[in-house]
Amino acid sequence: MARCIFHIDLDAFFVSAEQALDPKLKGKPVIVGGDPERRGVVASASYEARPFGIYAGMPLSQARRLCPQATFVRANLPRYTDASNKFMQILSDFSPHIEPLGLDEAYLDVTGCEEPYGSPQKLAIAIKERIYKELKLTASVGIATCKVIAKIASDLCKPDGLLEIAPCEERNFLNPLPVVKLPGVGKKTEQALTGMDISTIGELASLPLEIIKRHFGIAGTVIHSYAKGIDNRMVEAPGEPKSISQQITFAKDTLERRFLETNLRRLCQEVGEELRCQDKRAKCVAIRLRYADFKTITRQTTLKEASNINQVIFITALQLLNKALAQKGKPIRLIGVRVSNLVGKEKQLLMFDSEIKKSEHLDKAIDQIRRKYGPSAIKTGTGIATQVEGCGGSLREGTNLSNN
Ligand code: TTP
Ligand code: MG
C-alpha cells in the first residue's frame, strides 16, 4: 500500500506569530530579526517584504536599505517556542507518526488516518483549519507518497497552500522542476550540474548513476534517488541532540585577542553547562568563525577522552582559535563553539583522575549558583573582561541543540 506523507510548514513563522499578536502588522512588509541599527540578520520576512529581495540570513542593515518602509520586530524566541509546541501538539492529534524538523515544520505519516475525513486533502484542510483557529497561523501542506516529494510540494504551494502529488505522478511532478528544488542540491551542486548541462530534476534522474557518483560521491546516490522520486525514509521521532552549540555576533568586527578569548570562554562555559545539565560529555570540540566578508570556517578536533569540563572545552577551542588566527588575520564578525559526539553516563569511561572529578564538581556548583542567582552572580577571573572590553556588546544567538 502506498504511504501517505504530509510535510507541513508554517508560513513566515516568526512574522506570522507577531502578526497573530498584533493584527495591525498583517498584510504589510514585516521583518523579524532584531534591531536594524544593530548587527544581526533577518530571521523571517513576511510575503509582502519578499518582493523587495529580502530573505532569511540577509544582514538587517541591507534589509532596511531594500525595504525602508518595513516594520522591524525584534525576535522573541520564547513566544515562537510556545507557538511551535502548540503546533506540534495539534499535528500529533491527527497522527502519532510525527517527525518535527526545527520549530515550524514536520513530517506526518497519515497512512490510514485519512479515512474518517474522506481523503488526504480533506484531512490536510482539517489540520490547516485547526492551526488557524487555535494559533492564527497559516500552514502549507505537501502530500505525497514519500518525504522528499511532500517537502518539495509544500514549498511550491506556499503561502497557505495545499498540494497533493498523487501516487504514480511523482516523476511527472519532479521532471520539469529546477534541480535546486531538490533537498540536498545546494548552490555548489547546482553549479556543478549546470556545468554538466543539467538544469532540471528530470535531466538529473536520466543521468547514469555512475556519472553522478563520480562527480558527487555518496551524496550523489541520494540526490539521484530523490530525482527519480525514490525516498524510503520513514517518518521518525527525532533522537536525542547530537550536538550543542553557542555563538555570538559581535557589534563590530574584531581581531582583539583578549576580547575574542573572553567571549570564547563564555561560550565554552555555556556549552559545558548544557552538557552537564544533560549529564553528557563530548568527544569533539569545534569552533566556527565568520569573517567580516561573511566567509565562515569551522575547525574541529577530537578529545582523547569525552569531557564536559569548561576548562577542557575552552583550552581545546582556544587552540583551534589560535591556529585559525595564525592562518588568517582577518577581522572576525561571529564566533561559535560546538561540541558533538556526545556520550551519556552509561558510555563514559571510569574516571580515576580525581582532578577531573574535582573540576566537574566545581563547574556543577558554579552552574547551580548561576541558575539560582543569575549568570553574573559568579565569574571566573577572565570572564569579567567581557563586560568592559572593546566591541560595544554582542548579539547572542542562543543554545542550539542539534540532531545533525
Ligand atoms: P522557514 O520555514 O525556513 O521560514 P519562514 O517560516 O519564515 O517562511 P516560509 O513561509 O518560507 O516557511 O523557517 C522557520 C523560522 O525559522 C523562521 O520564521 C525564522 C527561523 N529562521 C531563522 O531564524 N533563521 C534562518 O536563517 C531561517 C531560514 C529561519
Ligand atoms: Mg516556515
Side-chain angles (χ1 to χ4, degrees), residues 45-80:
S46 68
Y47 278 78
E48 291 76 13
R50 295 185 194 194
F52 293 88
I54 290 159
Y55 53 85
M58 171 185 275
L60 282 169
S61 52
Q62 191 183 348
R64 166 93 121 186
R65 272 198 305 278
L66 289 172
C67 188
Q69 68 273 44
T71 306
F72 288 81
V73 182
R74 200 177 286 227
N76 181 335
L77 264 184
R79 181 175 293 162
Y80 313 141

Side-chain angles (χ1 to χ4, degrees), residues 55-225:
Y55 53 85
M58 171 185 275
L60 282 169
S61 52
Q62 191 183 348
R64 166 93 121 186
R65 272 198 305 278
L66 289 172
C67 188
Q69 68 273 44
T71 306
F72 288 81
V73 182
R74 200 177 286 227
N76 181 335
L77 264 184
R79 181 175 293 162
Y80 313 141
T81 308
D82 182 51
S84 168
N85 291 338
K86 289 178 178 149
F87 165 61
M88 298 299 173
Q89 183 55 52
I90 291 173
L91 299 186
S92 58
D93 286 348
F94 288 89
S95 166
H97 306 294
I98 175 173
E99 180 178 332
L101 304 160
L103 287 177
D104 85 326
E105 59 178 309
Y107 288 111
L108 208 58
D109 187 332
V110 297
T111 314
C113 304
E114 71 275 24
E115 265 179 34
Y117 295 86
S119 72
Q121 289 215 15
K122 287 189 178 143
L123 169 59
I125 291 168
I127 295 177
K128 277 162 65 77
E129 283 177 352
R130 221 179 118 193
I131 294 168
Y132 191 75
K133 191 165 157 238
E134 293 183 22
L135 304 175
K136 295 277 166 290
L137 299 174
T138 62
S140 297
V141 184
I143 307 175
T145 51
C146 66
K147 281 175 160 183
V148 71
I149 297 180
K151 184 160 171 75
I152 296 172
S154 75
D155 183 45
L156 285 183
C157 69
K158 274 181 164 296
D160 199 12
L162 172 55
L163 180 59
E164 179 177 13
I165 310 306
C168 305
E169 279 304 310
E170 290 89 352
R171 294 292 291 267
N172 289 340
F173 167 67
L174 290 175
N175 283 346
L177 297 176
V179 281
V180 74
K181 288 283 170 203
L182 207 58
V185 175
K187 278 269 168 292
K188 274 196 182 149
T189 309
E190 186 195 13
Q191 271 171 13
L193 287 168
T194 308
M196 295 160 71
D197 221 14
I198 301 291
S199 59
T200 66
I201 296 181
E203 288 164 353
L204 174 60
S206 63
L207 269 187
L209 176 60
E210 281 317 306
I211 296 187
I212 305 275
K213 263 173 75 180
R214 205 178 311 139
H215 280 85
F216 305 106
I218 197 78
T221 318
V222 177
I223 58 168
H224 195 245
S225 294

Side-chain angles (χ1 to χ4, degrees), residues 9-15 42-45 47 50 56-57 104 158:
D9 189 302
L10 296 173
D11 305 313
F13 175 39
F14 287 8
V15 165
V42 173
S44 177
Y47 278 78
R50 295 185 194 194
D104 85 326
K158 274 181 164 296

